[in-house]
Amino acid sequence: MNGAQALIRTLVDAGVDVCFANPGTSEMHFVAALDDVPEMRAVLTLFEGVATGAADGYARMTGRPAATLLHLGPGMGNGLANLHNARRGRAPMVNVVGDHARSHKRLDAPLESDIDAVAGTFSSWVRRSLAPADVAADAAEAVAAIANGGIATLVLPADVSWEEGAEVARPLPARPRPRVAPSVVEEVAAVLAGSEPAVLFLGADAVTEDGLLAAGQVSAGTGARLMTETFPARTARGAGLPDVARLPYPPEMAMAALAGTKHLVLAGATAPVHFFGYPGVPGHPVPEDCTVHVLSEPGEDGGAALRALAELAAPDARPELLEASRPELPTGELTPRAMAAVIGALLPERAIVVDEALTSGVGLMELTSGAPRHDWLALTGGAIGDGLPMALGAAVACPDRPVIGIQADGSAMYTISALWSHAREEADITTIVCDNGSYAILQHELSRVGAAGDGERAAKLLDLGGPGLDFVALAQGMGVPASRATTAEELADQLRAALAEPGPHLIDAVLR
Ligand SMILES: Cc1ncc(C[n+]2csc(CCOP(=O)(O)OP(=O)(O)O)c2C)c(N)n1
């Protein structure tokens, strides 16, 4: 068999059976080999940022890597922003990046670039397969290397794909997740047994259902407050789980949320820092006199550590759990808060919410907290344009669950072509575009960083009007049924209808 056939078969045998792809000439043998290995589902995306964001969403929902197929350095570069988000969320992923045939490499052909240099910025594992005989073993190693999170990038020269002489490699055992030492759990239990105000700061596997229940038990028994990172990769939420606040994004609110805390215990999270530096503002919200303790690092078995902590620090406590509750359906003006109330009122059980709402997300957390159980995917790395692709990946991962994308308009435009893949894959995704006609967050940031704020030319760079974006036409042009809502009632009616039907929908929510 040729290198491409052996590679794909090896990936499938190792459990990687979805590939989000945007191929070129150097990947033609990989494309042809898909017909020899029908277990590999290939999903065409029309931009590499869609492929990488979809692989991120897929990994968050399955815990398993998808592959991406990317065309040399420029194709991989197009996927970089969402590779960055995936790296920040520790999503496992295997990139297959096609390259020139070995003999062609030294000719400096037009698509030649330094693939390895760029791959190094987001990959925890990079390898160039040098011969058909190596490619399958390289692929097996790639999958094993990222079993606990991280991005593997396998550079595949075209002739290594097309030459015969390759053989399938067996999957390698994944390294077990590092466990937290009992002495660490004991130290944290001793801290929480004291009377000083403590916060248990949660991320990664501490915000799964199990992690949250254990954290809730610790909180009930010790009085420690619970808080999650600002943008965890995937959070279990809804009635029957503890009510856990998120660390707010704006620096002054984040500092207020942690004020008075004497002990910050990290479980699956790193110590928080503000997204940006601002004149005269400290770089992080942790109070000066607060001690930071590490229960578990991201990537360690934090769920087991939390359960052990609950046993030790709060053996008889019962977590306080959210009652089922939904907001009333609002009427009238379609404000961001009204949109949040409509979503809270109608959110179906087992929904996957992909949140790239940005400034329009005010009220979303509060108004959905008592909804039926759901999962929430956030923008881990702050690089916008992840929402529509992640929704695709989540829908491919969980075809029996409704996916609801709450999608800021400016960010939607980065990867708008994802809608075509929503339609092509008949994915059950309802996208609600938060249509505020602007880069609203940057209007706040302009004054927050102390830049002048009333210049006409500056304002033009933050305004999406003239021409206005017609999201209904954009969606329909890519095969996604779409409608426009200008009142709370219209949004509720259209959301109900979209949720009742399988397949993709888009609602352009024109916000006041
Ligand atoms: C890849 C990338 N490019 C640029 C930015 C800078 N940026 C942050 S928010 C934003 C505009 C967001 O506007 P929109 O999505 O409409 O949301 P809104 O602020 O209106 O809520 C931009 C351009 C970024 N975060 N990531």
Side-chain angles (χ1 to χ4, degrees), residues 72-108:
L72 299 100
M76 183 180 64
N78 276 348
L80 194 133
N82 285 335
L83 288 164
H84 160 84
N85 288 321
R87 181 179 80 85
R88 282 284 164 182
R90 295 186 54 83
M93 188 185 306
V94 178
N95 297 315
V96 178
V97 181
D99 195 7
H100 288 307
R102 288 162 295 177
S103 58
H104 206 67
K105 209 54 197 149
R106 63 193 142 82
L107 302 182
D108 196 28

Short mmCIF file of all heavy atoms in Angstrom, two decimals, residues 72-108:
data_model
loop_
_atom_site.label_atom_id
_atom_site.label_comp_id
_atom_site.label_asym_id
_atom_site.label_seq_id
_atom_site.Cartn_x
_atom_site.Cartn_y
_atom_site.Cartn_z
N LEU A 72 0.07 22.48 2.86
CA LEU A 72 1.38 23.13 3.07
C LEU A 72 1.29 24.27 4.12
O LEU A 72 0.32 24.38 4.86
CB LEU A 72 1.93 23.67 1.74
CG LEU A 72 2.18 22.61 0.65
CD1 LEU A 72 1.03 22.59 -0.33
CD2 LEU A 72 3.47 22.88 -0.10
N GLY A 73 2.34 25.09 4.12
CA GLY A 73 2.42 26.16 5.12
C GLY A 73 1.26 27.16 5.04
O GLY A 73 0.65 27.49 6.07
N PRO A 74 0.90 27.64 3.85
CA PRO A 74 -0.18 28.62 3.79
C PRO A 74 -1.52 28.06 4.28
O PRO A 74 -2.28 28.76 4.97
CB PRO A 74 -0.25 28.97 2.30
CG PRO A 74 1.15 28.73 1.81
CD PRO A 74 1.63 27.54 2.57
N GLY A 75 -1.82 26.81 3.96
CA GLY A 75 -3.08 26.23 4.45
C GLY A 75 -3.06 26.11 5.96
O GLY A 75 -4.03 26.46 6.64
N MET A 76 -1.95 25.64 6.49
CA MET A 76 -1.85 25.52 7.94
C MET A 76 -1.93 26.90 8.58
O MET A 76 -2.59 27.09 9.61
CB MET A 76 -0.52 24.85 8.29
CG MET A 76 -0.35 24.60 9.76
SD MET A 76 1.23 23.82 10.09
CE MET A 76 2.35 25.08 9.56
N GLY A 77 -1.29 27.90 7.94
CA GLY A 77 -1.35 29.26 8.48
C GLY A 77 -2.77 29.78 8.55
O GLY A 77 -3.17 30.43 9.52
N ASN A 78 -3.57 29.47 7.54
CA ASN A 78 -4.98 29.89 7.57
C ASN A 78 -5.71 29.28 8.76
O ASN A 78 -6.71 29.82 9.23
CB ASN A 78 -5.70 29.45 6.29
CG ASN A 78 -5.51 30.42 5.16
OD1 ASN A 78 -5.03 31.52 5.37
ND2 ASN A 78 -5.88 30.00 3.95
N GLY A 79 -5.26 28.15 9.23
CA GLY A 79 -5.93 27.49 10.35
C GLY A 79 -5.39 27.90 11.71
O GLY A 79 -5.85 27.41 12.73
N LEU A 80 -4.44 28.84 11.71
CA LEU A 80 -3.68 29.06 12.95
C LEU A 80 -4.50 29.61 14.12
O LEU A 80 -4.33 29.17 15.26
CB LEU A 80 -2.49 29.97 12.66
CG LEU A 80 -1.46 30.00 13.78
CD1 LEU A 80 -0.07 29.84 13.19
CD2 LEU A 80 -1.52 31.28 14.57
N ALA A 81 -5.40 30.55 13.87
CA ALA A 81 -6.12 31.17 15.00
C ALA A 81 -6.89 30.10 15.78
O ALA A 81 -6.89 30.10 17.02
CB ALA A 81 -7.07 32.25 14.49
N ASN A 82 -7.53 29.19 15.08
CA ASN A 82 -8.29 28.17 15.81
C ASN A 82 -7.40 27.04 16.32
O ASN A 82 -7.77 26.36 17.29
CB ASN A 82 -9.46 27.66 14.97
CG ASN A 82 -10.57 28.69 14.94
OD1 ASN A 82 -10.67 29.51 15.87
ND2 ASN A 82 -11.39 28.67 13.90
N LEU A 83 -6.22 26.87 15.73
CA LEU A 83 -5.24 25.97 16.35
C LEU A 83 -4.78 26.58 17.67
O LEU A 83 -4.58 25.88 18.67
CB LEU A 83 -4.05 25.75 15.41
CG LEU A 83 -4.36 24.87 14.20
CD1 LEU A 83 -3.30 25.02 13.12
CD2 LEU A 83 -4.49 23.41 14.63
N HIS A 84 -4.65 27.89 17.68
CA HIS A 84 -4.29 28.58 18.92
C HIS A 84 -5.37 28.36 19.99
O HIS A 84 -5.08 28.03 21.13
CB HIS A 84 -4.11 30.07 18.63
CG HIS A 84 -4.21 30.94 19.83
ND1 HIS A 84 -3.14 31.16 20.67
CD2 HIS A 84 -5.27 31.58 20.38
CE1 HIS A 84 -3.54 31.92 21.68
NE2 HIS A 84 -4.82 32.20 21.52
N ASN A 85 -6.65 28.54 19.61
CA ASN A 85 -7.74 28.32 20.59
C ASN A 85 -7.73 26.88 21.10
O ASN A 85 -7.94 26.63 22.29
CB ASN A 85 -9.10 28.64 19.95
CG ASN A 85 -9.30 30.12 19.76
OD1 ASN A 85 -8.92 30.93 20.61
ND2 ASN A 85 -9.91 30.50 18.63
N ALA A 86 -7.48 25.94 20.19
CA ALA A 86 -7.46 24.53 20.59
C ALA A 86 -6.30 24.27 21.56
O ALA A 86 -6.45 23.57 22.56
CB ALA A 86 -7.31 23.63 19.36
N ARG A 87 -5.16 24.85 21.28
CA ARG A 87 -4.00 24.66 22.17
C ARG A 87 -4.31 25.22 23.55
O ARG A 87 -4.03 24.61 24.57
CB ARG A 87 -2.76 25.37 21.60
CG ARG A 87 -1.52 25.18 22.47
CD ARG A 87 -0.30 25.88 21.88
NE ARG A 87 -0.29 27.30 22.16
CZ ARG A 87 0.19 27.86 23.28
NH1 ARG A 87 0.69 27.10 24.23
NH2 ARG A 87 0.17 29.16 23.44
N ARG A 88 -4.94 26.39 23.59
CA ARG A 88 -5.26 27.01 24.87
C ARG A 88 -6.23 26.14 25.68
O ARG A 88 -6.21 26.12 26.89
CB ARG A 88 -5.86 28.40 24.65
CG ARG A 88 -4.80 29.42 24.34
CD ARG A 88 -4.08 29.77 25.62
NE ARG A 88 -2.84 30.45 25.39
CZ ARG A 88 -2.02 30.82 26.38
NH1 ARG A 88 -2.32 30.56 27.64
NH2 ARG A 88 -0.89 31.41 26.12
N GLY A 89 -7.11 25.44 24.98
CA GLY A 89 -8.07 24.57 25.67
C GLY A 89 -7.58 23.14 25.83
O GLY A 89 -8.32 22.29 26.29
N ARG A 90 -6.36 22.88 25.41
CA ARG A 90 -5.74 21.56 25.52
C ARG A 90 -6.52 20.48 24.75
O ARG A 90 -6.56 19.31 25.15
CB ARG A 90 -5.59 21.13 26.98
CG ARG A 90 -4.65 22.00 27.79
CD ARG A 90 -4.45 21.43 29.19
NE ARG A 90 -4.02 20.04 29.12
CZ ARG A 90 -2.76 19.65 28.93
NH1 ARG A 90 -1.81 20.56 28.80
NH2 ARG A 90 -2.45 18.38 28.89
N ALA A 91 -7.16 20.88 23.66
CA ALA A 91 -7.88 19.89 22.84
C ALA A 91 -6.88 19.02 22.09
O ALA A 91 -5.92 19.54 21.52
CB ALA A 91 -8.77 20.61 21.84
N PRO A 92 -7.08 17.71 22.08
CA PRO A 92 -6.20 16.87 21.26
C PRO A 92 -6.57 16.98 19.78
O PRO A 92 -7.75 17.11 19.44
CB PRO A 92 -6.49 15.46 21.79
CG PRO A 92 -7.89 15.53 22.32
CD PRO A 92 -8.08 16.93 22.81
N MET A 93 -5.57 16.95 18.91
CA MET A 93 -5.83 17.09 17.46
C MET A 93 -4.60 16.57 16.71
O MET A 93 -3.48 16.71 17.20
CB MET A 93 -6.03 18.58 17.14
CG MET A 93 -6.48 18.86 15.73
SD MET A 93 -6.56 20.64 15.34
CE MET A 93 -7.58 21.31 16.61
N VAL A 94 -4.85 15.97 15.56
CA VAL A 94 -3.73 15.53 14.69
C VAL A 94 -3.85 16.27 13.36
O VAL A 94 -4.80 16.05 12.61
CB VAL A 94 -3.77 14.01 14.43
CG1 VAL A 94 -2.61 13.62 13.50
CG2 VAL A 94 -3.68 13.22 15.73
N ASN A 95 -2.90 17.15 13.09
CA ASN A 95 -2.87 17.81 11.78
C ASN A 95 -2.02 17.00 10.83
O ASN A 95 -0.89 16.64 11.16
CB ASN A 95 -2.20 19.19 11.87
CG ASN A 95 -2.95 20.13 12.78
OD1 ASN A 95 -4.17 20.22 12.70
ND2 ASN A 95 -2.24 20.83 13.63
N VAL A 96 -2.56 16.75 9.64
CA VAL A 96 -1.74 16.20 8.57
C VAL A 96 -1.52 17.35 7.58
O VAL A 96 -2.49 17.86 7.00
CB VAL A 96 -2.42 15.01 7.89
CG1 VAL A 96 -1.57 14.49 6.73
CG2 VAL A 96 -2.70 13.90 8.90
N VAL A 97 -0.29 17.77 7.46
CA VAL A 97 0.01 18.91 6.58
C VAL A 97 0.79 18.39 5.38
O VAL A 97 1.92 17.90 5.52
CB VAL A 97 0.84 19.97 7.33
CG1 VAL A 97 1.12 21.16 6.42
CG2 VAL A 97 0.11 20.43 8.58
N GLY A 98 0.18 18.46 4.22
CA GLY A 98 0.87 18.02 3.01
C GLY A 98 2.03 18.94 2.68
O GLY A 98 2.00 20.13 3.00
N ASP A 99 3.06 18.38 2.07
CA ASP A 99 4.22 19.19 1.66
C ASP A 99 4.64 18.74 0.26
O ASP A 99 4.20 17.70 -0.25
CB ASP A 99 5.35 19.01 2.67
CG ASP A 99 6.43 20.09 2.53
OD1 ASP A 99 6.23 21.04 1.74
OD2 ASP A 99 7.46 19.98 3.22
N HIS A 100 5.56 19.52 -0.34
CA HIS A 100 6.10 19.14 -1.63
C HIS A 100 6.79 17.78 -1.55
O HIS A 100 7.31 17.39 -0.48
CB HIS A 100 7.14 20.17 -2.08
CG HIS A 100 6.54 21.47 -2.49
ND1 HIS A 100 5.52 21.56 -3.43
CD2 HIS A 100 6.78 22.74 -2.10
CE1 HIS A 100 5.19 22.82 -3.60
NE2 HIS A 100 5.92 23.56 -2.80
N ALA A 101 6.83 17.08 -2.67
CA ALA A 101 7.63 15.85 -2.77
C ALA A 101 9.08 16.18 -2.41
O ALA A 101 9.54 17.31 -2.63
CB ALA A 101 7.55 15.31 -4.19
N ARG A 102 9.77 15.19 -1.85
CA ARG A 102 11.13 15.45 -1.36
C ARG A 102 12.04 16.04 -2.44
O ARG A 102 12.81 16.97 -2.18
CB ARG A 102 11.74 14.15 -0.79
CG ARG A 102 11.09 13.76 0.54
CD ARG A 102 11.35 12.32 0.89
NE ARG A 102 10.71 11.41 -0.06
CZ ARG A 102 10.81 10.09 -0.02
NH1 ARG A 102 11.54 9.51 0.93
NH2 ARG A 102 10.19 9.33 -0.91
N SER A 103 11.91 15.53 -3.67
CA SER A 103 12.78 16.00 -4.75
C SER A 103 12.45 17.45 -5.12
O SER A 103 13.28 18.15 -5.70
CB SER A 103 12.60 15.10 -5.97
OG SER A 103 11.23 15.13 -6.34
N HIS A 104 11.25 17.88 -4.82
CA HIS A 104 10.80 19.21 -5.24
C HIS A 104 11.13 20.28 -4.20
O HIS A 104 11.10 21.48 -4.49
CB HIS A 104 9.28 19.15 -5.46
CG HIS A 104 8.79 20.16 -6.44
ND1 HIS A 104 9.10 20.14 -7.78
CD2 HIS A 104 8.02 21.26 -6.27
CE1 HIS A 104 8.54 21.16 -8.39
NE2 HIS A 104 7.87 21.87 -7.49
N LYS A 105 11.43 19.83 -3.02
CA LYS A 105 11.59 20.72 -1.86
C LYS A 105 12.66 21.79 -2.11
O LYS A 105 12.49 22.95 -1.78
CB LYS A 105 12.00 19.80 -0.71
CG LYS A 105 11.66 20.14 0.71
CD LYS A 105 10.28 20.42 1.06
CE LYS A 105 10.30 21.13 2.41
NZ LYS A 105 9.20 22.06 2.53
N ARG A 106 13.79 21.36 -2.69
CA ARG A 106 14.91 22.28 -2.82
C ARG A 106 14.75 23.29 -3.96
O ARG A 106 15.58 24.16 -4.16
CB ARG A 106 16.21 21.49 -2.99
CG ARG A 106 16.26 20.66 -4.25
CD ARG A 106 17.43 19.68 -4.19
NE ARG A 106 17.06 18.40 -4.77
CZ ARG A 106 17.08 18.17 -6.07
NH1 ARG A 106 17.43 19.08 -6.92
NH2 ARG A 106 16.71 16.98 -6.53
N LEU A 107 13.66 23.17 -4.73
CA LEU A 107 13.49 24.06 -5.88
C LEU A 107 12.84 25.40 -5.51
O LEU A 107 12.63 26.25 -6.36
CB LEU A 107 12.65 23.36 -6.96
CG LEU A 107 13.23 22.04 -7.47
CD1 LEU A 107 12.34 21.44 -8.56
CD2 LEU A 107 14.65 22.24 -8.02
N ASP A 108 12.47 25.53 -4.26
CA ASP A 108 11.81 26.75 -3.81
C ASP A 108 10.59 27.09 -4.69
O ASP A 108 10.43 28.21 -5.20
CB ASP A 108 12.79 27.94 -3.77
CG ASP A 108 12.23 29.09 -2.95
OD1 ASP A 108 11.41 28.82 -2.04
OD2 ASP A 108 12.57 30.26 -3.24
#
